[in-house]
Amino acid sequence: MLNRRQLLQLSATAAAAAGFGLAPSTLANTPALITKTIPSSGEAIPVIGMGTSQTFDVDASEEALAPLQEVLDAFFKAKGSVIDSSPMYGKAESRVGDILRNMAQRPPLFAATKVWTEGREAGIAQMEESARRMAVERFDLIAVHNLTDWKTQLDTLKRWKDEGKVRYIGITTSHGRDHAEFLEVMRSEPLDFVQFSYNIDDRAAEEALLPTAAERGIATMINRPYQRGSLFGITRGKELPDVAKDIDCSSWGQFFLKFIVSHPAATCVIPATSKLQHMEDNMQANFGRLPDAAQREEMLRVFAALQASA
């Protein structure tokens, strides 16, 4: 007889298989979709999301949109749902919206953006414009970007949440700066999400941000998982270690992503890309096994050795 955990695992496996068009006979060999729950609600979301900084800041020409359409198709096919953007990212919100409008049937979407301005009315106007640009009736998440006028904007967001205009609210930092003030807000405000940088090379978030998120019951959205691509300079041409096979990783990108989301306080990570092959590779980290504590230590040891030899 299956226990509850086994039944949930089987259901997740079946859902992942359906997304890839796999027959029931292949279920036994199909990796399970990895999800984590948002502490404030218990809602489960896939651990691999998508960022849009720089990658979606393009013009609206067919030539520019075509590769982004392929990227989003691959994202949704691999059961992705969390898309994060911001007015700070130029035309990114608009390009996401353009592609969503052109889809015959929109897949399940967890739409996240940020408010990045000063003043109450300016913040409201910006968030309403973001909804029009990104083609969403109601955002799942709006966060105050880089703590910009956070008291004013968070006051509006708390009211919007009470009124049902947004589902979740939060704050972000994109450069690892202002951690002291960031922690103060985490400890004093009713946040659903925080976003900050964390990866196998930049582990400053382990000191206070991740523990505070766990203590306060705040979901975390992780940016800069590849340290702006510099991690690949260290691993280029190097063979994957044995531990990669044990956690269903076939590339260094997946290795880095699974290190992040295996942290107990990491909810999801949002790598950004405009290249189809990179998106397909990223999304393979949405399935299979996550490293345990001992495997994480081995991953750190492997990476440290590669750094030392670089």
Side-chain angles (χ1 to χ4, degrees), residues 208-227:
L209 294 181
L210 286 163
T212 301
E215 177 185 343
R216 294 280 294 167
I218 303 171
T220 61
M221 186 177 288
I222 306 301
N223 59 43
R224 301 192 179 189
Y226 301 137
Q227 196 76 329

Side-chain angles (χ1 to χ4, degrees), residues 104-125:
Q105 184 174 359
R106 184 178 300 192
L109 171 67
F110 186 102
T113 195
K114 308 175 187 73
V115 55
W116 182 59
T117 189
E118 295 187 355
R120 186 178 307 277
E121 296 306 315
I124 291 171

Side-chain angles (χ1 to χ4, degrees), residues 3 100 111 144 148 215 249:
N3 60 34
L100 292 176
V144 182
T148 303
E215 177 185 343
C249 288

Side-chain angles (χ1 to χ4, degrees), residues 4 12 73 75 78 86 89 123 131 153 180 193 196 200 214 225 249 262 267:
R4 183 174 182 274
D73 286 345
F75 175 73
S86 172
Y89 304 160
Q153 307 308 339
F193 270 86
F196 47 77
I200 199 168
C249 288
S262 63
T267 308

Side-chain angles (χ1 to χ4, degrees), residues 165-295:
K165 294 181 178 180
V166 65
R167 298 178 63 220
Y168 300 109
I169 62 176
I171 58 171
T172 82
T173 178
S174 58
H175 303 293
R177 62 192 177 197
D178 302 324
H179 277 191
E181 186 176 12
F182 199 84
L183 283 163
E184 177 186 339
V185 180
M186 288 180 68
R187 290 166 176 155
S188 62
E189 296 290 342
L191 305 175
D192 300 297
F193 270 86
V194 288
Q195 182 182 142
F196 47 77
S197 302
Y198 174 59
N199 57 63
I200 199 168
D201 189 39
D202 176 11
R203 297 168 56 209
E206 292 179 357
E207 298 174 10
L209 294 181
L210 286 163
T212 301
E215 177 185 343
R216 294 280 294 167
I218 303 171
T220 61
M221 186 177 288
I222 306 301
N223 59 43
R224 301 192 179 189
Y226 301 137
Q227 196 76 329
R228 292 294 195 190
S230 66
L231 300 187
F232 296 113
I234 296 170
T235 59
R236 186 172 293 112
K238 306 296 184 181
E239 290 188 7
L240 285 168
D242 290 340
V243 67
K245 297 177 183 178
D246 298 332
I247 58 174
D248 302 312
C249 288
S250 59
S251 72
W252 282 108
Q254 296 163 37
F255 182 94
F256 295 138
L257 292 176
K258 285 200 171 183
F259 176 82
I260 292 168
V261 296
S262 63
H263 190 288
T267 308
C268 69
V269 59
I270 49 170
T273 184
S274 59
K275 299 182 184 301
L276 175 61
Q277 65 271 29
H278 291 170
M279 176 57 76
E280 290 175 336
D281 188 75
N282 289 343
M283 296 311 291
Q284 289 185 53
N286 216 22
F287 299 88
R289 295 167 289 182
L290 286 178
D292 58 24
Q295 289 168 326

Side-chain angles (χ1 to χ4, degrees), residues 56 64-76 98-100 102-103 276:
F56 272 64
L65 280 175
L68 299 184
Q69 176 73 64
E70 291 183 334
V71 162
L72 267 185
D73 286 345
F75 175 73
F76 286 127
D98 290 341
I99 295 170
L100 292 176
N102 288 332
M103 300 185 81
L276 175 61

